[in-house]
Amino acid sequence: MNIRKLTRITVAALAVTAAFAQAGQAEDYPTKDIMHIMPWSAGGGTDTVMRTFMNYAEEPLGVGINTQNITGAQSGVGTLRLMKSRPDGYTIGSLTWDSVITVPYYELVPGYDTEQLAYLGSVTVHPTAIVVRDDAPWATLEEFVAAAKEAPGTLKISNVGTGGVWHLPALDFAKQAEIDVQHVPYPKGSGPQREALLSGETDAASTSISAAYAAIEAGQARVLAVMADERDPHFPDVPTFKEAGYDVVWGGFRLIATQADVDAEQKATLEKAFASVFDDPEFQAKAEETGMGAVWMGSEQVANFIKNSQDKAFALMDQLVEEGVLDKK
């Protein structure tokens, strides 16, 4: 046997061996702990919720999940680290609105490209709601719209930042309803926004039900409608905007992703494990107890959800830039 032929046989054998080794690794995956990148500060709402979820996900995966907080640039620094991680299936990360909307739109981080991510599933979805004081004169969304048309430019709807997660939904609603309202930002968060509503500084708040939950439970506020495809099961009497004739579906969310080039079988293993957490009665009880807003969507559904959210958000943000309300520079 000549050397050239022997070399070809050796190379082929090595290729087969490598293929079997890779298949074995995929079948055994995962065999070591997984790193979970949290792009927000420790102790915050997203950090707390996602750490809780990951604790439950360790059992179906059979390994530990270690959370590392990598903050900065409105989640951009940590998410970039996920994008640039080794695609071996052992690095995952949490994503929020800012990770897929704010950071890419404003180009806050060089080299940031959401195409480098593979979405694995959702953990929470908080539909946007229009919340008013309990003593407000509007019992329905239709009555609020009628009042806004009677007095253009006088009603005030609050948010937590111009061009952000709660402003754009209210803007979309106002445009579809053809009403002129004041959009008032409270950049320091939902706490000041809630206080402004209860004190009468604003007439309505564009927020999530969870952010206003304490005021709602105390009988200080009520929800006119939610921007979801279906009614919230915890508030079955609250209609959706679609029921009122407005095709307005928006909300905040917490997702899980990995690096885009991770092996398809490994991604499927992760997705299956994360989905199984939602079948865990203990997790469901914890989610109910904490008002987590737990909602599962699989990888394909999340990808479509994010694409639709980006298309709507970027279009509205472009309009705000043209109007001089936002500065993209």
Side-chain angles (χ1 to χ4, degrees):
M1 182 179 296
N2 61 44
I3 296 298
R4 184 175 298 173
K5 185 173 182 181
L6 180 61
T7 299
R8 287 201 302 269
I9 293 173
T10 302
V11 170
L14 288 173
V16 171
T17 301
F20 275 111
Q22 289 176 357
Q25 290 173 2
E27 185 176 338
D28 294 338
Y29 170 84
T31 59
K32 61 180 182 179
D33 286 356
I34 293 171
M35 184 175 82
H36 166 232
I37 295 176
M38 166 50 59
W40 297 102
S41 298
T46 295
D47 179 78
T48 300
V49 166
M50 297 307 286
R51 282 178 186 268
T52 298
F53 181 85
M54 294 304 166
N55 287 339
Y56 285 95
E58 288 182 336
E59 183 175 348
L61 284 170
V63 298
I65 302 177
N66 304 317
T67 297
Q68 181 178 3
N69 295 87
I70 303 176
T71 63
Q74 298 188 80
S75 81
V77 174
T79 305
L80 181 68
R81 180 76 65 87
L82 174 62
M83 293 174 178
K84 302 302 181 183
S85 66
R86 181 181 299 176
D88 59 3
Y90 288 95
T91 304
I92 61 174
S94 291
L95 307 178
T96 59
W97 168 281
D98 288 311
S99 311
V100 296
I101 304 290
T102 308
V103 179
Y105 184 79
Y106 288 105
E107 300 177 351
L108 298 181
V109 179
Y112 195 99
D113 181 2
T114 54
E115 293 297 318
Q116 298 177 65
L117 298 171
Y119 304 114
L120 298 172
S122 68
V123 174
T124 71
V125 178
H126 292 282
T128 308
I130 294 296
V131 180
V132 299
R133 291 186 307 280
D134 190 61
D135 62 356
W138 320 289
T140 65
L141 188 65
E142 291 86 345
E143 290 181 4
F144 182 86
V145 170
K149 289 184 176 180
E150 287 177 8
T154 59
L155 294 186
K156 300 176 182 178
I157 302 179
S158 65
N159 58 71
V160 293
T162 302
V165 61
W166 305 125
H167 176 216
L168 296 181
L171 187 66
D172 189 20
F173 158 56
K175 286 180 179 292
Q176 289 198 33
E178 298 181 337
I179 57 175
D180 178 14
V181 297
Q182 296 182 46
H183 298 277
V184 185
Y186 288 85
K188 291 187 178 180
S190 59
Q193 182 193 24
R194 181 175 59 251
E195 291 309 309
L197 174 68
L198 297 181
S199 69
E201 189 173 305
T202 57
D203 301 293
S206 176
T207 184
S208 67
I209 290 180
S210 63
Y213 188 75
I216 296 168
E217 284 292 287
Q220 298 171 314
R222 52 190 168 81
V223 186
L224 291 184
V226 292
M227 299 183 185
D229 287 313
E230 299 177 353
R231 294 191 179 197
D232 187 319
H234 298 100
F235 294 86
D237 295 331
V238 176
T240 67
F241 276 70
K242 284 189 171 183
E243 291 175 61
Y246 306 109
D247 187 16
V248 184
V249 179
W250 292 84
F253 44 79
R254 299 182 180 103
L255 315 174
I256 312 170
T258 190
Q259 212 276 344
D261 292 332
V262 168
D263 177 77
E265 290 187 15
Q266 291 179 328
K267 286 187 281 195
T269 297
L270 290 169
E271 181 179 352
K272 182 179 179 180
F274 294 142
S276 72
V277 173
F278 281 77
D279 295 326
D280 185 333
E282 188 177 331
F283 170 74
Q284 288 296 338
K286 185 70 173 179
E288 181 76 19
E289 173 191 336
T290 58
M292 185 184 293
V295 175
W296 173 256
M297 292 187 289
S299 56
E300 185 175 345
Q301 190 176 359
V302 167
N304 291 331
F305 176 81
I306 294 303
K307 177 64 168 58
N308 291 335
S309 297
Q310 287 177 328
D311 288 347
K312 292 189 301 181
F314 292 163
L316 284 174
M317 293 165 87
D318 283 344
Q319 289 179 25
L320 293 174
V321 170
E322 291 176 6
E323 295 167 2
V325 177
L326 288 182
D327 184 0
K328 195 177 178 182
K329 296 179 181 179

